[in-house]
Amino acid sequence: MEKKEERQEVSAGMKVCRVIGVVLVLAASFTASAQEYLRGDVNNDGHVDVCDVTCLISYILTDSWPDEQIVPDNHEYVDLGLPSGTLWATCNLGASSPEEFGDYFAWGETDSKDEYTYENYKWWYFDGDGYRYISKYNNNSYFGPVDGKTELELEDDAAYVNWGTSWRMPSYDQVAELVNICSWQWTQRNGVIGHLLTGPNGNTMFLPAAGYCDGSSPEYVGTYGNFWSRALYSSLPDRAFALYLDSQYWDSEDMSRCVGHVIRAVRSSQSR
């Protein structure tokens, strides 16, 4: 009995030593040069931070990765030759081809739903007099307690949650780069209306005009499309930025957060 307890103590001690060793190695990675910072990127999200330490500690102690690491990453992407190196997914979340619309999401929600309304939006609440307030991502006291968050956190990023740690909803700058660097052509592809984008390197990406979902069914399909970014519209925090497109115009526009729009995800060129 005593020998069994001694073996257990030794095993536990070894695990602790392994954890300490891992932390020291990752700490060294944090101070590496910018060209080498991905050396400690254990969870493959393009950054070296405390999340990598957490993943390794969990693996060492339990012999399994955290749940979010189990999401399969089998989604295709295209390199448009953009200066930032950003890689764009070839289809929307919930779609299996570039022409499919995929799922619609309210901003900051990670699941699609049957109806998109003010009342069922995750981050809004109403007081006894019917006034609407914001419970998260708010920088204006008129809308309730201010948290100063202007970009979606990972747990509220539909691309990260549904597609895995290499994927994100695009930032405002990534959308702006797409608008300003690529050439845009309003066209049809397999009977679906949308824009064909051509990057500096000649590679292309198709964005369908999926309209939006305000209520229970999509509207203005084939007329225009809105693709959520992860950026809050700071001037009015009940709105967020989306890539808007129609036959004559394409740019970042602010949209009501509770409305359902499609999502085209991005990943870093340095992600494996």
Side-chain angles (χ1 to χ4, degrees):
M1 186 69 177
E2 291 180 356
K3 290 184 177 180
K4 182 178 180 180
E5 292 177 350
E6 289 176 358
R7 287 196 297 269
Q8 291 175 338
E9 291 176 358
V10 171
S11 177
M14 291 178 63
K15 285 189 175 183
V16 170
C17 290
R18 289 168 67 190
V19 170
I20 294 174
V22 167
V23 171
L24 292 175
V25 169
L26 284 173
S29 298
F30 295 155
T31 59
S33 65
Q35 290 78 16
E36 297 179 335
Y37 80 99
L38 288 175
R39 182 179 298 167
D41 184 18
V42 176
N43 65 1
N44 204 17
D45 67 352
H47 302 279
V48 175
D49 52 28
V50 71
C51 294
D52 298 295
V53 178
T54 303
C55 287
L56 269 178
I57 291 175
S58 174
Y59 177 73
I60 292 169
L61 296 178
T62 67
D63 293 324
S64 64
W65 290 100
D67 291 342
E68 65 265 26
Q69 304 301 319
I70 300 174
V71 178
D73 186 359
N74 54 2
H75 306 285
E76 296 183 355
Y77 53 85
V78 59
D79 181 0
L80 295 169
L82 299 170
S84 69
T86 299
L87 305 172
W88 284 80
T90 57
C91 61
N92 296 340
L93 262 68
S96 57
S97 72
E99 299 83 17
E100 290 184 19
F101 298 156
D103 296 326
Y104 295 79
F105 297 85
W107 191 81
E109 296 185 357
T110 57
D111 293 308
S112 59
K113 52 192 180 183
D114 295 331
E115 191 173 19
Y116 298 82
T117 68
Y118 284 98
E119 290 76 16
N120 70 6
Y121 178 56
K122 181 177 182 179
W123 302 117
W124 289 354
Y125 65 94
F126 297 83
D127 66 9
D129 297 322
Y131 289 103
R132 186 180 76 239
Y133 294 96
I134 299 173
S135 59
K136 191 175 183 180
Y137 304 107
N138 180 31
N139 58 4
N140 187 332
S141 59
Y142 176 81
F143 292 92
V146 172
D147 59 20
K149 300 179 188 294
T150 58
E151 192 169 274
L152 289 175
E153 296 182 334
L154 293 180
E155 64 265 26
D156 304 320
D157 186 314
Y160 179 88
V161 172
N162 290 285
W163 277 15
T165 58
S166 294
W167 295 96
R168 297 287 186 278
M169 293 167 61
S171 67
Y172 179 87
D173 289 340
Q174 287 169 323
V175 170
E177 181 182 52
L178 201 67
V179 169
N180 296 322
I181 299 296
C182 293
S183 62
W184 293 62
Q185 179 187 5
W186 187 252
T187 186
Q188 280 195 31
R189 181 167 173 170
N190 295 327
V192 178
I193 297 174
H195 266 286
L196 183 67
L197 282 66
T198 303
N201 62 3
N203 290 339
T204 61
M205 177 177 70
F206 183 74
L207 296 176
Y212 64 86
C213 207
D214 185 5
S216 58
S217 59
E219 302 176 12
Y220 296 99
V221 170
T223 301
Y224 59 80
N226 298 314
F227 297 76
W228 278 130
S229 79
R230 63 177 185 254
L232 184 73
Y233 181 58
S234 298
S235 299
L236 286 174
D238 61 342
R239 303 176 73 82
F241 280 109
L243 169 62
Y244 170 87
L245 58 86
D246 62 28
S247 62
Q248 301 294 326
Y249 177 80
W250 48 92
D251 205 348
S252 296
E253 296 287 341
D254 57 285
M255 308 286 176
S256 174
R257 289 167 51 173
C258 69
V259 174
H261 298 313
V262 295
I263 294 172
R264 183 62 64 95
V266 297
R267 61 186 289 160
S268 167
S269 62
Q270 297 178 358
S271 296
R272 295 184 295 276

